[in-house]
């Protein structure tokens, strides 16, 4: 099939059996002028599946799918317009008629094709490639910074949402769970919009702050810190915190509030940071990253981020300083003035 | 010697974090929340991704995700892969997969070192974790043991400021502030906690702390409602029932008090067992099953039960355990030193009291007991200088009785029996006026003992009077023991056996000869 813009659909990407979430469950490879890209199509039939699973009526489910598609499409257009070069933006969006009838017209988004996500890339190396990791962190921090500058919180940063491109550039992908400050976003009603398996601890313990920044941008800041721990030791910060929690105090069985469990969370967090820092090679890098992770993943959202941001009138969750930090560390590592063993 | 407690409240115990946790006193459980359908979808997706790309990093992603939502089957799938391919996995990931903390043992072992080294280690951790309230509480406890109340209070204030809602922190803070005779701050810390009106452990702490400070409780009504709430587990409300029972007892409503104490024993902790053991001496009708004396850390109750039964060595052994469990507390030190002195093991008594005085430097009762033990061991200069530390004008009640008796003992031992008799008489008069026949009998017995040791002309009369007084106190093994010691001493005098060789218990010979 050839789309009106000249893209030729070449291959369907098989849907993974577990991949029932999200509104775009159909993926295709498309080609044009020798370039390969990835097409995500909105699957209207998913409305019935949602209706069966959640009990809401099909019409509401369909409305939700359309809203989500429009939200992501508009957001991607906005990101493209703002030249966010560390965010995976859509090359094109549109619709194509594939069949007769009401649902015969399919809406789609076309994205540049990545080599894979960070997990796939890291598997190429026998040992940790510190320079690559630091560059990747610089790109991810930049991507989040670009989104935050547009008052957008990503809310779902995790290893599978950091895509690596052939030019060795990493970008933040999947804005399906994003939230825009001052507007209503499709996932705003959810306790936690993103993947709960990577959620910051306050959200696991059902502490939902009404303040948009403290709830949503603070989660991004935490996710960036968690990405640092994943890239260096293969474990998310949330998993490391929970591994150090007393079993009686784990979120599925905790009957109290988040502030009541804060002492135990802090203690577990301290051990998690220590564990992370011991996996970072080189004294200097260890010291700097330990401090950064402590700030980025602070269990109290109000204390998350760079301390200097809190002192001034700037956004306390501004990632600008971390963009500079990871850039500096990557450059130092590249020219060999950062101890890496 | 003094150890009797006129008042006992279920003040929260202050132990190290791990012990408190192991005792279940920090639990706040609800029925386990099952993984949501979204969580299940996320894990299913990750499992499939791992099946497609079977490498370490997809396994790592799966392990983290499955661990967070508690999907053990999927976690095991990833774990097995990581451990089978450990040579290409980051060390920290292998440690995580094998359930190892990945941290050096020395970093984690906060409970096995000497105090100074432990303080050093905690301070080192606090430099990188300045907001870790649990560490601040731990270090406050160690400073308390060293008698450094300034640092202890500062550390605890920091902890309470950092996590004002944590049950562990709030209860420990209340205990420390009470230890430092600052009940208003103890109550403030409890009352400002967000769970103060809901959490049965904090309600109990508020009621007990107010009781101990003789100030009105604000949460008795709320506590009573919560105590009747069947959704609260019997273990979670044990101290609350006990605190309310004590309150009823203070107000003279013994029947209601008994009901509440019985409720506290449905699933008690050691503190509520000790409270019932103590309360039973006043309200009666509360039998403590032997199995309750076997619950963890029931040292206080066991020590008291053994004392009442005249099992002196068992009482001392339990007292020493109690002291190890609550090393900064004066009560176990008073108790154990008292029993040791009863069986004339003054060496042990002196050692315990001197150590406890580090954490309680100006405690008049500890000082008095130390002076008594030193005097009885004929270490008179030390006894004299110790006794001078007490501000006599502040002593009242039981302390006033024992202080006069100790002064009497020292006067006898320095060769001034006339003054000694006057002081003993003062103690006897004070005990009589307070209606404490046991202390009156003990003062008369110890006066007789001193008359015998000093070989005065009044010895025989004093002994006869003492034994008559002792016989009036029924079923009191302590009085009986001292009476026996006096009788043995009298017999030895008559047989011209040296005083040092006379004792009711074998351990005393060693103590008096040292």
């Amino acid at each position: 099939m050839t789309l009106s813009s000249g893209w030729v659909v070449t291959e369907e990407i098989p849907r993974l059996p577990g991949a029932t979430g999200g509104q775009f469950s159909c993926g295709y490879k498309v080609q044009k002028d020798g370039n390969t890209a990835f097409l995500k199509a909105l699957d209207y039939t998913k409305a019935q599946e949602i209706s069966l699973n959640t009990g809401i009526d099909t019409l509401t489910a369909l409305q939700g799918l359309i809203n989500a598609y429009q939200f992501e499409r508009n957001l991607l257009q906005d990101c493209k317009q703002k030249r966010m070069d560390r965010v995976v933006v859509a090359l094109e969006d549109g619709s194509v008629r594939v069949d007769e009838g009401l649902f015969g017209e399919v809406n789609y988004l076309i994205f540049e094709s990545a080599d894979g996500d960070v997990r796939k890339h890291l598997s190429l190396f026998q040992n940790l490639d510190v320079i690559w990791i630091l560059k990747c962190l610089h790109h991810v921090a930049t991507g989040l910074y670009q989104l935050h500058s547009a008052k957008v919180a990503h809310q779902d940063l995790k290893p599978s949402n950091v895509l690596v491109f052939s030019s060795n550039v990493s970008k933040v992908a999947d804005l399906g769970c994003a939230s825009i400050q001052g507007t209503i976003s499709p996932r705003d009603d959810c306790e936690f919009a993103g993947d709960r398996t990577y959620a910051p601890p306050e959200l696991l313990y059902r502490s939902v702050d009404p303040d948009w920044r403290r709830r949503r941008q603070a989660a991004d800041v935490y996710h960036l810190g968690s990405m640092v721990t994943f890239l260096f030791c293969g474990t998310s910060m949330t998993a490391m915190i929970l591994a150090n929690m007393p079993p009686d105090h784990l979120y599925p069985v905790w009957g109290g509030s988040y502030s009541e469990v804060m002492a135990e969370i802090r203690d577990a967090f301290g051990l998690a940071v220590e564990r992370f820092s011991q996996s970072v090679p080189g004294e200097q890098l260890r010291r700097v990253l330990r401090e950064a992770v402590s700030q980025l993943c602070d269990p109290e959202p109000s204390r998350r981020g760079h301390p200097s941001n809190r002192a001034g009138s700037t956004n306390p969750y501004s990632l600008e300083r971390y963009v500079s930090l990871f850039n500096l560390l990557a450059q130092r590592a590249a020219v060999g003035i950062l101890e890496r063993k | 010697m003094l150890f009797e407690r006129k008042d006992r409240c279920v003040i929260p115990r202050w132990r190290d974090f791990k012990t408190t946790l192991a005792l279940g006193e920090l639990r706040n459980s609800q029925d386990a929340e099952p993984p949501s359908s979204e969580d299940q979808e996320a894990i299913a997706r990750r499992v499939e991704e791992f099946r497609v790309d079977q490498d370490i990093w997809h396994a790592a992603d799966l392990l983290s995700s499955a661990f967070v939502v508690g999907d053990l089957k999927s976690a095991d799938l990833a774990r097995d892969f990581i451990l089978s391919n450990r040579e290409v996995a980051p060390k920290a990931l292998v440690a995580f997969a094998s359930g190892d903390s990945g941290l050096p043992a020395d970093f984690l072992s906060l409970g096995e070192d000497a105090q100074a080294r432990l303080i050093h280690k905690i301070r080192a951790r606090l430099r990188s974790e300045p907001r870790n309230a649990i560490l601040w509480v731990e270090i406050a406890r160690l400073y308390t043991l060293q008698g450094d109340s300034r640092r202890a209070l500062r550390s605890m204030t920091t902890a309470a400021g950092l996590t004002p809602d944590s049950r562990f922190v709030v209860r420990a803070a209340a205990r420390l502030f009470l230890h430092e005779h600052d009940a208003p701050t103890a109550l403030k810390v409890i009352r400002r906690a967000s769970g103060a009106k809901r959490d049965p452990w904090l309600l109990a702490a508020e009621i007990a702390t107010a009781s101990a400070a003789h100030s009105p409780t604000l949460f008795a009504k709320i506590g009573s409602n919560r105590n009747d709430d069947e959704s609260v587990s019997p273990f979670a409300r044990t101290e609350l029932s006990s605190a309310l029972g004590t309150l009823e007892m203070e107000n003279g409503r013994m029947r209601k008090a008994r009901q509440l104490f019985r409720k506290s024993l449905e699933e008690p902790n050691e503190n509520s067992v000790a409270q019932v053991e103590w309360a039973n001496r006043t309200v009666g009708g509360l039998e403590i099953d032997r199995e309750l004396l076997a619950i963890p850390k029931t040292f206080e109750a066991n020590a008291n039960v053994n004392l009442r039964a005249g099992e002196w060595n068992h009482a001392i052994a339990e007292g020493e355990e109690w002291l190890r469990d609550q090393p900064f507390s004066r009560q176990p030190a008073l108790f154990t030193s008292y029993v040791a002195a009863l069986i004339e093991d003054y060496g042990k008594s002196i050692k315990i009291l001197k150590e406890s005085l580090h954490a309680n430097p100006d405690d008049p009762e500890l000082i008095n007991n130390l002076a008594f033990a030193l005097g009885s061991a004929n270490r008179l200069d030390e006894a004299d200088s110790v006794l001078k530390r007490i501000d006599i004008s502040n002593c009242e009640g039981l302390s006033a009785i024992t202080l006069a008796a100790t002064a009497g003992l020292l006067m006898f031992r320095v060769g001034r029996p006339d003054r000694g008799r006057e002081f003993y008489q003062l103690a006897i008069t004070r005990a009589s006026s307070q209606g404490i026949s046991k202390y009156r009998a003990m003062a008369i017995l110890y006066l007789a003992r001193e008359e015998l040791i000093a070989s005065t002309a009044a010895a025989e009369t004093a002994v006869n009077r003492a034994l008559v007084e002792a016989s009036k106190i029924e079923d009191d093994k302590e009085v009986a023991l001292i009476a026996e010691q006096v009788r043995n001493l009298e017999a030895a005098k008559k047989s011209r056996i040296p005083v040092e060789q006379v004792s009711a218990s074998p351990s005393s010979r060693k103590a008096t000869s040292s």
Side-chain angles (χ1 to χ4, degrees), chain B residues 183-323:
Chain B
T185 308
L187 286 168
K188 200 165 95 183
V189 168
I190 301 169
R191 286 169 184 165
R192 77 173 179 194
S194 66
K197 293 181 182 173
R198 165 175 40 86
D199 184 339
W201 295 95
L202 295 184
L203 286 165
E206 198 273 347
I207 295 165
T209 306
S211 261
H214 303 291
S215 64
T217 164
L218 302 183
F219 297 160
K221 179 78 184 156
I222 303 168
S224 184
N225 291 338
R226 199 81 176 107
N227 192 47
D228 294 336
D229 184 346
E230 288 303 316
S231 69
V232 180
S233 78
F235 182 70
R237 66 166 178 247
T238 180
E239 285 196 9
L240 179 56
S241 303
S242 192
L244 289 166
T246 311
L247 204 60
E248 296 293 356
M249 196 174 121
E250 283 168 6
N251 294 327
R253 289 190 284 268
M254 300 305 180
R255 195 160 158 263
K256 180 74 181 158
R258 259 183 235 109
Q259 285 172 355
L260 286 161
F261 283 128
R262 281 196 196 103
K263 190 165 184 168
S264 79
L265 292 181
E266 284 173 12
E267 199 184 322
N269 65 355
E270 67 76 30
N271 202 4
S272 46
V273 172
Q275 188 70 4
V276 171
E277 192 282 328
W278 167 83
N280 194 34
R281 290 176 232 158
T282 307
V283 300
L286 297 165
E287 288 305 312
I288 299 178
D289 294 338
R290 288 219 64 82
E291 65 208 44
L292 291 181
L293 294 172
I295 65 170
K297 310 257 175 208
T298 319
F299 308 125
E300 182 183 350
N302 272 308
N304 279 299
V305 165
N306 279 304
L307 176 67
R308 310 282 157 216
E311 298 285 346
W312 316 117
N313 289 327
H314 286 128
I316 290 175
E318 293 287 346
E320 286 179 322
E321 288 293 338
W322 177 17
L323 195 52

Side-chain angles (χ1 to χ4, degrees), chain A residues 41-190:
Chain A
L42 174 58
D43 181 4
Y44 293 111
T45 60
K46 191 115 194 304
Q48 280 177 324
E49 195 183 307
I50 293 170
S51 174
L52 277 174
N53 290 341
T54 60
I56 59 171
D57 63 86
T58 316
L59 198 62
T60 311
L62 186 62
Q63 184 64 54
L65 285 179
I66 293 166
N67 287 348
Y69 168 78
Q70 285 175 335
F71 171 80
E72 189 171 352
R73 184 195 62 193
N74 296 346
L75 180 57
L76 286 165
Q77 283 173 353
D78 196 35
C79 293
K80 191 176 182 181
Q81 202 179 1
K82 291 193 164 97
R83 297 175 191 278
M84 295 188 189
D85 59 350
R86 292 294 178 261
V87 178
V88 177
V89 293
L91 299 172
E92 180 185 309
D93 60 78
S95 63
V96 60
R97 179 157 287 280
V98 293
D99 203 354
E100 294 299 314
L102 185 63
F103 298 130
E105 189 165 303
V106 171
N107 292 86
Y108 64 84
L109 293 164
I110 296 177
F111 297 91
E112 54 183 319
S113 188
D115 288 351
D117 61 40
V118 279
R119 298 170 298 181
K120 199 163 188 178
H121 191 84
L122 286 164
S123 301
L124 303 175
F125 305 104
Q126 188 77 13
N127 296 312
L128 285 182
D129 182 345
V130 174
I131 301 173
W132 185 86
I133 289 175
L134 291 169
K135 269 188 191 164
C136 173
L137 287 171
H138 171 229
H139 294 168
V140 173
T142 307
L144 286 179
Y145 175 68
Q146 289 172 342
L147 288 168
H148 286 194
S149 301
K151 298 184 190 258
V152 176
H154 184 280
Q155 301 196 101
D156 198 21
L157 185 73
K158 55 188 177 185
S160 57
N161 280 344
V162 175
L163 300 185
V164 183
F165 293 84
S166 51
S167 51
N168 238 354
V169 167
S170 306
K171 293 186 185 185
V172 175
D174 194 354
L175 299 181
C177 297
S179 174
I180 306 171
Q181 189 175 16
T183 67
I184 297 167
S185 308
R187 307 263 307 165
D188 277 359
D189 289 341
C190 304

Side-chain angles (χ1 to χ4, degrees), chain B residues 229-460:
Chain B
D229 184 346
E230 288 303 316
S231 69
V232 180
S233 78
F235 182 70
R237 66 166 178 247
T238 180
E239 285 196 9
L240 179 56
S241 303
S242 192
L244 289 166
T246 311
L247 204 60
E248 296 293 356
M249 196 174 121
E250 283 168 6
N251 294 327
R253 289 190 284 268
M254 300 305 180
R255 195 160 158 263
K256 180 74 181 158
R258 259 183 235 109
Q259 285 172 355
L260 286 161
F261 283 128
R262 281 196 196 103
K263 190 165 184 168
S264 79
L265 292 181
E266 284 173 12
E267 199 184 322
N269 65 355
E270 67 76 30
N271 202 4
S272 46
V273 172
Q275 188 70 4
V276 171
E277 192 282 328
W278 167 83
N280 194 34
R281 290 176 232 158
T282 307
V283 300
L286 297 165
E287 288 305 312
I288 299 178
D289 294 338
R290 288 219 64 82
E291 65 208 44
L292 291 181
L293 294 172
I295 65 170
K297 310 257 175 208
T298 319
F299 308 125
E300 182 183 350
N302 272 308
N304 279 299
V305 165
N306 279 304
L307 176 67
R308 310 282 157 216
E311 298 285 346
W312 316 117
N313 289 327
H314 286 128
I316 290 175
E318 293 287 346
E320 286 179 322
E321 288 293 338
W322 177 17
L323 195 52
R324 266 190 283 278
D325 183 42
Q326 299 289 302
F328 59 89
S329 172
R330 55 198 281 282
Q331 284 304 334
L334 283 171
F335 175 90
T336 316
S337 66
Y338 167 80
V339 186
L342 261 187
I343 61 164
E344 299 176 329
D345 187 351
Y346 300 117
K348 185 181 281 275
S349 189
I350 291 165
K351 184 171 176 290
I352 290 167
L353 289 162
K354 281 189 170 176
E355 280 173 12
S356 186
L357 277 163
H358 282 298
N360 303 277
D362 300 315
D363 188 278
E365 291 169 9
L366 288 171
I367 293 172
N368 172 70
N369 286 10
L370 179 60
F372 174 87
L374 287 166
S376 298
N378 286 322
R379 290 160 66 173
L380 301 178
D381 289 343
E382 284 177 75
D384 186 49
S385 64
V386 161
L387 204 59
K388 280 180 183 154
R389 288 163 59 185
I390 300 183
D391 180 1
I392 295 171
S393 60
N394 277 340
C395 289
E396 53 184 22
L398 293 177
S399 301
I401 302 169
T402 51
L403 186 62
T406 303
L409 164 79
L410 295 184
M411 285 296 139
F412 265 103
R413 297 287 169 118
V414 296
R416 297 180 63 191
D418 292 347
R419 287 289 289 151
R421 242 169 253 132
E422 283 173 24
F423 276 117
Y424 269 115
Q425 195 48 54
L426 180 61
I428 293 161
T429 309
R430 282 175 174 171
S432 302
S433 65
Q434 290 181 40
I436 308 171
S437 52
K438 177 179 176 177
Y439 270 47
R440 179 185 145 83
M442 285 168 86
I444 294 172
L445 282 165
Y446 278 123
L447 169 62
R449 180 183 82 164
E450 293 310 310
E451 297 278 13
L452 280 169
I453 292 170
S455 302
T456 65
E460 194 177 337

Side-chain angles (χ1 to χ4, degrees), chain A residues 263, chain B residues 130-138 140 153-166 169-170 173 192:
Chain B
R131 298 185 66 81
N132 187 332
I134 290 174
L135 292 179
W136 283 113
V137 173
E138 301 288 48
L153 287 169
R154 205 171 56 191
S155 303
M156 190 59 91
T157 305
T158 305
L162 288 170
T163 54
D165 299 332
S166 159
V169 173
V170 169
R192 77 173 179 194

